[in-house]
Amino acid sequence: MKALRVLIKGWVTSFRYPAFISGFQPTLPVPPLSTIYGLISAAKGELVTPEDLSIGYVFKHDGKAVDLETIYELSGLKGKSNVIKREFLVDPEIYLYLDDPEYKKYFEHPHYPILLGRSTDLMNITEIKEVELAKKANVKLGKTILPFGLNGAYGTIQALPTHFTDTIPRKAAGTKPFILMNQFFDYSNECCYDEEMDWGVWFHR
């Protein structure tokens, strides 16, 4: 199948666990689908959901650290500042695959800044390429999120939304259990395969 592969890099990023409201803020090891659809929506300039586009991705980083961060806790019209510890990932890069090559124009000239994670995590688009993905069994697959119950996959299981609405307030939509796969594993069944990168690509449809 023809696909668009976009390589996006940054300095730091952090993906919040939805269950942690206050206190120490760990990061998810890989970005959730809602973060990726938010990034694509920023590039296009309008809401993009799984109904519009199927995506897959491989996410890498060079390590993890903890920083102190000022937050503001609001109560009605009053607020106070506080300091929390937040985990972040260093030198993140994501190989993003889209099943519609027509989205190339949005990444060549993004409508809004491209962020991954927090509003301060500015990213840089370093490569946009149309690729041909083959179907192949016995490939390495991982460094992404995978559907719960996928044969051979393992890792932290977390319920996560696939995307958010553009209403005020925003609402989480399409919440499902996912496997957060922080490494590659040998996948024996057939899936899309990027021969140039020598890894499998799982498309969320």
Side-chain angles (χ1 to χ4, degrees):
M1 63 174 282
K2 290 189 181 298
L4 185 69
R5 189 181 72 202
V6 184
L7 175 57
I8 302 170
K9 297 182 178 181
W11 291 337
V12 294
T13 188
S14 183
F15 312 114
R16 191 175 71 84
Y17 271 87
F20 287 77
I21 304 299
S22 61
F24 180 71
Q25 295 289 315
T27 178
L28 296 171
V30 294
L33 277 179
S34 58
T35 296
I36 304 302
Y37 276 106
L39 182 151
I40 298 170
S41 299
K44 187 176 181 181
E46 61 184 66
L47 182 67
V48 179
T49 73
E51 294 180 358
D52 305 310
L53 187 70
S54 294
I55 63 169
Y57 54 91
V58 175
F59 176 78
K60 299 179 175 182
H61 62 85
D62 287 341
K64 185 189 297 184
V66 177
D67 197 6
L68 295 176
E69 184 176 273
T70 300
I71 62 169
Y72 295 91
E73 300 169 333
L74 300 177
S75 176
L77 297 177
K78 296 182 179 180
K80 64 177 183 177
S81 63
N82 199 352
V83 177
I84 64 166
K85 291 183 177 179
R86 183 184 297 278
E87 274 188 338
F88 65 92
L89 304 172
V90 179
D91 291 335
E93 62 178 36
I94 183 166
Y95 289 82
L96 174 61
Y97 295 84
L98 297 81
D99 70 347
D100 185 354
E102 293 296 315
Y103 274 68
K104 181 179 181 182
K105 58 190 175 192
Y106 302 129
F107 286 94
E108 289 176 332
H109 304 286
H111 192 86
Y112 295 109
I114 299 300
L115 309 171
L116 186 69
R118 299 168 297 178
S119 60
T120 53
D121 296 336
L122 186 63
M123 305 296 283
N124 185 34
I125 298 170
T126 60
E127 182 188 61
I128 306 171
K129 187 175 183 179
E130 292 186 37
V131 295
E132 184 74 31
L133 302 179
K135 288 282 189 178
K136 187 176 179 181
N138 300 312
V139 299
K140 67 177 184 181
L141 179 67
K143 293 188 179 289
T144 186
I145 68 170
L146 295 167
F148 176 67
L150 186 71
N151 184 32
Y154 56 91
T156 303
I157 299 170
Q158 180 71 48
L160 295 168
T162 57
H163 61 290
F164 282 84
T165 66
D166 58 354
T167 58
I168 300 176
R170 295 186 307 153
K171 295 181 180 177
T175 300
K176 303 175 187 174
F178 290 100
I179 301 171
L180 308 178
M181 195 75 204
N182 195 27
Q183 55 194 317
F184 289 115
F185 74 106
D186 296 326
Y187 184 58
S188 59
N189 293 349
E190 191 176 75
C191 72
C192 290
Y193 174 69
D194 187 337
E195 184 175 11
E196 181 181 351
M197 305 307 300
D198 188 26
W199 59 42
V201 180
W202 185 270
F203 274 86
H204 297 271
R205 304 182 189 279

